[in-house]
Amino acid sequence: QEQLVESGGGLVQAGDSLTLACGAPGLTFGTYNMGWFRQAPGKAREFVAGITRNGINKFYGDSVKGRFTISRVNTKNTVYLEMSSLKPEDTAVYYCAADNSWVVHRTESEYNYWGQGTQVTVSS
């Protein structure tokens, strides 16, 4: 069974940086667009960032644009999310997702595989 596994979450202070990683054991990684979503307490899951199969094209949600960077290393079957200038409103469970369609989607229903999530908590 193909799975995605997120790691790197934790408790940080506002203004800090944190890098998340998502490994994809058993997945033909290079054939999938990848995305990061997050879900804050009491809120719906929202699109954070997406990246195409070859890593050339990247997309970001408005709330994280300029602060977060998505990247991937296909030879390692891993996608990353570098987060900087973290704010308390970034607090959420962050999920990695894989999509085998031709383009990166902002809608969670378009993704085929999901990780279990990793908690990011940003204190004031």
Side-chain angles (χ1 to χ4, degrees), residues 91-112:
T91 296
V93 177
Y94 284 72
Y95 298 91
C96 175
D99 173 16
N100 66 359
S101 65
W102 286 105
V103 298
V104 173
H105 292 93
R106 286 174 163 264
T107 306
E108 61 180 298
S109 62
E110 298 289 344
Y111 289 80
N112 307 97

Side-chain angles (χ1 to χ4, degrees), residues 15 41 44 47 58-59 97 102 105 111 119:
F47 175 79
K58 303 175 181 180
F59 308 87
W102 286 105
H105 292 93
Y111 289 80
Q119 177 71 47

Side-chain angles (χ1 to χ4, degrees), residues 36-108:
W36 286 96
F37 290 76
R38 68 185 183 186
Q39 188 164 19
K43 296 184 178 181
R45 190 170 298 186
E46 67 171 324
F47 175 79
V48 174
I51 187 168
T52 51
R53 293 173 176 84
N54 56 18
I56 294 176
N57 298 308
K58 303 175 181 180
F59 308 87
Y60 299 95
D62 290 340
S63 62
V64 306
K65 194 173 299 180
R67 298 188 298 119
F68 291 11
T69 301
I70 188 171
S71 63
R72 67 191 295 164
V73 180
N74 286 355
T75 56
K76 295 182 178 180
N77 277 227
T78 304
V79 62
Y80 302 91
L81 184 69
E82 297 176 72
M83 305 180 293
S84 63
S85 301
L86 283 163
K87 306 174 181 179
E89 49 263 47
D90 294 318
T91 296
V93 177
Y94 284 72
Y95 298 91
C96 175
D99 173 16
N100 66 359
S101 65
W102 286 105
V103 298
V104 173
H105 292 93
R106 286 174 163 264
T107 306
E108 61 180 298

